Amino acid sequence: MSAVGLASIVPDHGFAAEVQMPSLSLTALPVGSTAVYPGQGPCRIGRAVKKVVDGRVMMFYHLTVLDGRGVELFVPVEKACSIGVRLLLKESEIPELLAHLRKGARPADHWRQRADDNLKLFNSGSLFDLAEVVASLTEQRNNRKLTFGESGTFERAKRLLICEISEVTGEPKTMVEEQLDQVLNEKTGISLIDPPTP
């Protein structure tokens, strides 16, 4: 379990009506709803909890990552917006996302620039940016074998993409993965399952 600071944890059932934030609030993220944490993917919202950090009482979202690993996160309510916690993509936006994925992306020529670009896109928390990472690395796979680091980035970005689309549409992850593979195969003509031989 990930924790922020050492503190006593006290659930606060009446806190939702007290805190308002510009784009996210506890009323916008009720217990049992789903939000996305950058780099972790969709998370189930638990009860707001109080923690004492450096002598100061703070309120935290309790998030459980939905990728099956059982990871739990505590995110300060006052910083949730600035670190990129967001609501799930709307189902009506999925066609636009798939169109974005079909467009592909031209990766930078230098490996260091590619790594920097992918890291920025990955950490933005945007599903469209994750799609760009997947599309870019798929383009690279068309030309050469990915490095160990690139393969890890590709698999992680693809997993997060699949997880959120599955949460939004209610379709099984295996079905979503097949659909994504089909979209990317239309663009590149190569399979995401079997990488090209060197």
Side-chain angles (χ1 to χ4, degrees):
M1 176 188 294
S2 299
V4 182
L6 299 174
S8 58
I9 303 175
V10 181
D12 185 27
H13 306 289
F15 183 71
E18 300 171 13
V19 175
Q20 296 293 327
M21 298 192 298
S23 58
L24 284 180
S25 71
L26 282 175
T27 53
L29 297 176
V31 172
S33 67
T34 306
V36 178
Y37 187 95
Q40 297 290 337
C43 301
R44 190 75 67 222
I45 308 297
R47 288 195 171 103
V49 296
K50 287 180 182 178
K51 286 174 170 276
V52 179
V53 180
D54 293 330
R56 179 182 167 214
V57 176
M58 297 176 64
M59 295 304 301
F60 290 78
Y61 288 121
H62 177 207
L63 310 178
T64 303
V65 182
L66 296 177
D67 64 0
R69 296 178 297 156
V71 174
E72 295 182 325
L73 306 169
F74 290 93
V75 181
V77 169
E78 63 189 39
K79 295 187 177 180
C81 289
S82 64
I83 63 176
V85 175
R86 62 173 175 80
L87 300 175
L88 286 172
L89 199 70
K90 294 177 183 175
E91 191 165 2
S92 60
E93 296 176 283
I94 299 294
E96 183 184 350
L97 176 71
L98 296 178
H100 185 69
L101 200 56
R102 280 188 186 94
K103 280 194 274 186
R106 179 166 170 20
D109 292 329
H110 193 273
W111 70 268
R112 184 170 291 168
Q113 186 61 53
R114 286 195 305 270
D116 287 347
D117 291 346
N118 286 335
L119 184 62
K120 286 175 188 172
L121 291 168
F122 205 95
N123 289 335
S124 76
S126 163
L127 200 62
F128 284 85
D129 286 350
L130 276 180
E132 193 163 327
V133 171
V134 170
S136 171
L137 291 173
T138 300
E139 291 279 349
Q140 282 184 244
R141 283 170 57 128
N142 200 17
N143 299 316
R144 62 169 181 80
K145 187 174 180 180
L146 298 180
T147 66
F148 179 78
E150 289 169 337
S151 292
T153 299
F154 173 77
E155 291 301 330
R156 192 169 167 216
K158 186 182 172 193
R159 175 175 52 82
L160 292 176
L161 200 60
I162 290 167
C163 191
E164 183 164 350
I165 293 173
S166 175
E167 281 293 318
V168 170
T169 63
E171 295 178 347
K173 291 177 185 175
T174 52
M175 187 179 294
V176 172
E177 183 170 16
E178 288 173 8
Q179 292 169 351
L180 286 184
D181 285 350
Q182 184 177 355
V183 167
L184 289 164
N185 288 340
E186 289 170 7
K187 172 68 182 166
T188 65
I190 71 167
S191 169
L192 295 181
I193 300 169
D194 300 312
T197 53

